[in-house]
Amino acid sequence: SVRAKDVNEKHVIEAIRRGKFKFAGRQKIVKSLKWGFTKYPREEYVALRKNGVLSADGNIVKVNTRHGPLAKSTLFLGGHM
């Protein structure tokens, strides 16, 4: 798995294509429609980040729910409620 910016897509594909020769058997290059290593499609991820439903947390994202104490709520502290 490789994560890279969209502008570097052709360089990443070429690097993986050259790396395929180092391993026996058939290797496939597949471009995901998801954002990074999340389960959300690109358009949905951007919209959810703008709405404050998701927040970045390293390789993954945190889903900000509307449950629990307000003192711990990132939505409340960020002014999105």
Side-chain angles (χ1 to χ4, degrees), residues 3 35-38 45 49 55-63:
R3 287 185 309 154
W35 182 277
F37 294 129
T38 66
Y45 176 84
R49 279 292 303 269
S55 60
D57 185 33
N59 287 344
I60 59 173
V61 292
K62 286 185 179 179
V63 179

Side-chain angles (χ1 to χ4, degrees), residues 3-32:
R3 287 185 309 154
K5 293 181 180 178
D6 291 336
V7 296
N8 297 327
E9 178 184 354
K10 75 176 189 178
H11 300 294
V12 170
I13 290 175
E14 179 64 17
I16 293 174
R17 187 190 71 78
R18 290 181 182 202
K20 290 192 314 183
F21 299 116
K22 300 285 185 182
F23 300 98
R26 184 171 181 197
Q27 307 295 323
K28 294 181 182 179
I29 300 174
V30 178
K31 182 182 176 193
S32 175

